[in-house]
Amino acid sequence: MYIGVDLGGTNIKVGVFDAELNLLGKNSKTTQADMGPKIVVERIAEAVNELANQHGTGLEAVKAVGIGAPGPSDISVGLIVAAPNLPLFRNVPLRDMLSKELNKPVVFENDANAACWGEFVCGAGKGVEDMVFFTLGTGIGGGVVSNGKLVHGFHDGAAELGHIIIYPDGRVCGCGQRGCAEAYASASSTGRRATEMIAVGRKSSLKAVFDEKGEVTSRDVFEHYARRDELAKEIAEDTAKALGLLCINVLHVTEPQRIVFSGGMIAAGDLLLSRIQYYFDKYIWTLKKEAVDICFATLGEDAGIRGAAALAKEQP
Amino acid sequence: MYIGVDLGGTNIKVGVFDAELNLLGKNSKTTQADMGPKIVVERIAEAVNELANQHGTGLEAVKAVGIGAPGPSDISVGLIVAAPNLPLFRNVPLRDMLSKELNKPVVFENDANAACWGEFVCGAGKGVEDMVFFTLGTGIGGGVVSNGKLVHGFHDGAAELGHIIIYPDGRVCGCGQRGCAEAYASASSTGRRATEMIAVGRKSSLKAVFDEKGEVTSRDVFEHYARRDELAKEIAEDTAKALGLLCINVLHVTEPQRIVFSGGMIAAGDLLLSRIQYYFDKYIWTLKKEAVDICFATLGEDAGIRGAAALAKEQP
């Protein structure tokens, strides 16, 4: 059996898989990040132990554990350098701490790469060699698979795809740059751009949502777009345009066969996907026809634990 | 011995190398592209034969030949699909034609990748594993090395780095897109932007150049920038800004350790390099410090033949 762990700021998700990477069962716990790394590692180990006992004969049957964790991280040594959602985690050797706690080999990866690898191995990227992966959530995370391998870059800083600059001198991004794709097209930014427009007096059916909740989410934007609200349409189209441009820009770097979108915002469904495809087609060159397949992820919340387990299985 | 060939629209360049890839000698011929593929292949073979005779005992001592050729191409089968500078070359199986003509194994690569590989193996990229390479000429060509390997992409369309969109809805590019880096920052575009400004009446010391030659080149722009002409400064700064943004965008995809600029425009020297670095530093995120080294190529015109020879040597 293999274990996949997805460590988030709020929850620890754990899955147990057989040798063919079929999911046998899942478990989750709150992270309790404010208790610090030692307690969090113990909680991960607890979750793993419980799951291994439920679906087998305990840890004995577990060959290896994979974990995806927020970063920036130093992947080759399994270290969380810092993590906005885990404020007490500074240079934490998570891989070795967990390996010691469980007495098992542990493979470490950053969370977006782990989810990317899950989709690549057994989700929307199955059967291809070159894939680009986006998560549309609070930010825009990414993963790049080239020649069948994750691209890590010089200091594990590759695939920060949300920080590709789409509009130079544009909106301020949390990273310190201006005009990042993330500042326009993450789920949070999409909601925020709508909120800003309402705040300056734009008429919209989203106004009622704002008055009730004090904010507008990307979900609201796409719902009201579907009901033909003009402001919602404008905001959603700008999001789709930024994502279409993002697809073009990554295409010209690694030419993936498939570009996979995941994360909360893909709940907007065909409306979102068809508009991304529209802007991709509108802005892509005419020099030759591009065959890249732009699609949604298929594993949902399980991509991270699947990818982590797959990495555990592949370790030499 | 190994042979490296760089096939261009105007010239065929050939180099002969020993087993340690030291350059023993060079040869060149006009391409005569308008005579068609068969004649061009014969001319390449002639150039190779002459060189092999001058620096050894003829073809017998040659183990393999590498060739870099303009594209789009299908690299795995050694086919030039089409090439703007070689208008008669449509679906030409160059690798097999040359291999038959010389009776030697031939390795095929696109020209920008071959030059990138030359710099990677024995030029500005020596000693790193992850590199991005730009050529600043008529267009902006590119190469991406990740984990020590050239990134080809799904259909050999990776590393079209000049067509990363920097300014959406911006200047029209020859490729059919708008706002490509190439439309601002290639050598040709830099000269063209200056010419356009003079044509609409902007005052500049470049006006005299324009009146004499009917055009302004990127070389003129950087020369007049050095002599403090305001328009030349503006144009050159816009070029450097586009290149700085381009560096940021590729950094966020593959995180190279080194970004290497080559091509005619690097004759502008430190003035160009320091301004690219300035804009990179100005627009890059503050989330963490980036250690990427932005520098110029060191092999000049020999990068293509060196890379092609290196690929010939590495072939299985």
Side-chain angles (χ1 to χ4, degrees):
Chain A
M1 296 195 307
Y2 296 93
I3 300 276
V5 181
D6 184 0
L7 174 62
T10 312
N11 290 300
I12 298 160
K13 286 178 230 156
V14 183
V16 58
F17 298 83
D18 65 19
E20 279 75 45
L21 292 177
N22 297 304
L23 179 63
L24 304 176
K26 293 197 279 186
N27 192 6
S28 81
K29 276 191 189 306
T30 55
T31 306
Q32 312 245 353
D34 52 349
M35 306 290 278
K38 198 171 170 299
I39 300 290
V40 170
V41 168
E42 285 170 18
R43 293 180 67 77
I44 297 170
E46 262 174 52
V48 169
N49 266 305
E50 287 167 16
L51 197 62
N53 287 328
Q54 278 165 34
H55 297 273
T57 52
L59 273 185
E60 236 169 88
V62 173
K63 262 192 107 168
V65 177
I67 184 164
S73 46
D74 186 334
I75 291 167
S76 59
V77 297
L79 189 85
I80 296 183
V81 175
N85 296 328
L86 301 171
L88 298 176
F89 284 60
R90 279 268 175 200
N91 297 314
V92 172
L94 186 71
R95 184 191 67 191
D96 292 349
M97 286 172 75
L98 186 61
S99 180
K100 207 174 158 193
E101 190 76 27
L102 292 170
N103 200 23
K104 293 284 169 191
V106 173
V107 176
F108 178 97
E109 188 47 90
N110 86 44
D111 47 6
N113 279 350
C116 173
W117 195 248
E119 290 290 341
F120 180 71
V121 172
C122 48
K126 222 172 156 174
V128 308
E129 281 286 291
D130 300 284
M131 175 181 127
V132 167
F133 174 77
F134 295 104
T135 54
L136 307 175
T138 312
I140 297 182
V144 175
V145 179
S146 188
N147 298 320
K149 293 214 167 108
L150 280 168
V151 173
H152 285 113
F154 175 43
H155 278 320
D156 296 328
E160 289 284 2
L161 306 178
H163 301 287
I164 290 177
I165 296 174
I166 299 284
Y167 296 111
D169 302 303
R171 291 174 67 87
V172 171
C173 181
C175 75
Q177 291 180 180
R178 298 183 76 110
C180 295
E182 178 167 310
Y184 294 84
S186 71
S188 302
S189 299
T190 300
R192 199 176 310 123
R193 284 191 295 113
T195 305
E196 285 170 12
M197 286 295 108
I198 290 161
V200 299
R202 275 291 298 274
K203 276 192 183 153
S204 165
S205 57
L206 289 167
K207 174 76 162 63
V209 177
F210 178 74
D211 288 344
E212 197 195 321
K213 301 193 299 180
E215 62 158 8
V216 174
T217 65
S218 65
R219 189 194 188 98
D220 300 321
V221 170
F222 281 93
E223 274 177 22
H224 287 244
Y225 180 14
R227 289 188 232 141
R228 297 171 191 274
D229 178 65
E230 272 302 313
L231 176 66
K233 177 179 175 177
E234 200 177 299
I235 300 289
E237 291 288 323
D238 283 347
T239 292
K241 179 177 167 181
L243 295 175
L245 289 167
L246 195 52
C247 289
I248 292 171
N249 284 354
V250 296
L251 179 82
H252 289 321
V253 184
T254 68
E255 203 208 14
Q257 181 173 3
R258 214 160 280 169
I259 297 177
V260 178
F261 285 96
S262 72
M265 203 159 72
I266 71 168
D270 274 352
L271 181 56
L272 174 60
L273 189 58
S274 66
R275 297 316 289 168
I276 297 172
Q277 185 73 55
Y278 169 81
Y279 285 105
F280 178 85
D281 293 341
K282 179 174 174 182
Y283 286 103
I284 189 70
W285 62 10
T286 50
L287 202 60
K288 56 177 179 148
K289 189 144 176 49
E290 292 302 336
V292 62
D293 180 21
I294 301 175
C295 62
F296 281 166
T298 60
L299 300 181
E301 300 247 305
D302 291 347
I305 53 173
R306 276 192 185 269
L311 289 164
K313 187 186 165 188
E314 287 153 28
Q315 69 149 9
Chain B
M1 297 196 304
Y2 296 93
I3 301 276
V5 182
D6 184 0
L7 173 62
T10 312
N11 290 301
I12 297 160
K13 287 178 228 153
V14 183
V16 60
F17 299 84
D18 66 18
E20 280 73 47
L21 291 177
N22 297 304
L23 179 62
L24 304 177
K26 292 196 280 184
N27 192 4
S28 81
K29 275 191 190 306
T30 55
T31 305
Q32 313 246 351
D34 51 351
M35 305 289 279
K38 199 173 169 297
I39 300 289
V40 170
V41 168
E42 286 171 19
R43 293 180 67 77
I44 298 170
E46 262 174 52
V48 170
N49 267 304
E50 287 168 16
L51 198 61
N53 288 329
Q54 277 166 35
H55 299 273
T57 52
L59 273 185
E60 237 170 84
V62 173
K63 260 192 109 170
V65 176
I67 183 164
S73 46
D74 186 334
I75 292 167
S76 60
V77 297
L79 189 85
I80 296 183
V81 175
N85 295 330
L86 301 171
L88 298 176
F89 284 59
R90 280 267 174 201
N91 297 312
V92 172
L94 186 72
R95 183 191 68 191
D96 292 349
M97 286 171 75
L98 186 60
S99 180
K100 208 174 158 191
E101 190 76 26
L102 292 170
N103 200 22
K104 292 284 167 190
V106 173
V107 176
F108 179 96
E109 187 49 89
N110 85 44
D111 47 6
N113 280 349
C116 173
W117 195 248
E119 289 290 342
F120 179 72
V121 171
C122 48
K126 222 171 156 176
V128 309
E129 281 285 291
D130 300 284
M131 175 182 128
V132 166
F133 174 77
F134 294 104
T135 53
L136 307 175
T138 313
I140 297 183
V144 175
V145 178
S146 187
N147 299 317
K149 292 213 168 108
L150 279 167
V151 174
H152 285 113
F154 175 43
H155 278 320
D156 298 326
E160 289 284 2
L161 306 177
H163 301 287
I164 290 177
I165 295 174
I166 299 285
Y167 296 112
D169 302 303
R171 290 175 68 87
V172 170
C173 181
C175 75
Q177 291 179 179
R178 297 184 76 108
C180 294
E182 176 167 309
Y184 294 84
S186 70
S188 302
S189 300
T190 299
R192 199 176 310 124
R193 284 191 296 111
T195 305
E196 286 171 11
M197 287 295 107
I198 290 162
V200 299
R202 275 288 301 272
K203 276 194 184 151
S204 165
S205 58
L206 289 167
K207 174 77 163 61
V209 177
F210 178 74
D211 287 344
E212 196 195 323
K213 301 193 298 179
E215 61 159 8
V216 174
T217 65
S218 66
R219 187 192 190 101
D220 301 321
V221 170
F222 281 93
E223 274 178 22
H224 287 245
Y225 180 14
R227 290 188 233 142
R228 298 173 192 273
D229 177 66
E230 271 304 311
L231 176 66
K233 177 178 176 179
E234 201 178 298
I235 300 289
E237 290 288 323
D238 284 347
T239 292
K241 178 176 168 182
L243 295 175
L245 290 166
L246 196 52
C247 289
I248 292 172
N249 284 354
V250 296
L251 178 83
H252 289 321
V253 183
T254 68
E255 203 208 13
Q257 181 173 0
R258 214 158 284 168
I259 297 176
V260 178
F261 285 96
S262 73
M265 204 158 73
I266 72 170
D270 273 353
L271 181 56
L272 174 61
L273 189 59
S274 66
R275 298 316 289 166
I276 296 173
Q277 186 72 55
Y278 168 82
Y279 285 104
F280 178 86
D281 294 342
K282 178 174 175 184
Y283 286 103
I284 189 70
W285 62 10
T286 51
L287 201 61
K288 56 175 178 150
K289 188 142 177 51
E290 293 301 336
V292 63
D293 179 20
I294 301 174
C295 62
F296 281 165
T298 60
L299 301 182
E301 299 249 305
D302 292 347
I305 54 173
R306 275 193 185 269
L311 289 163
K313 187 186 165 188
E314 287 154 28
Q315 68 149 11

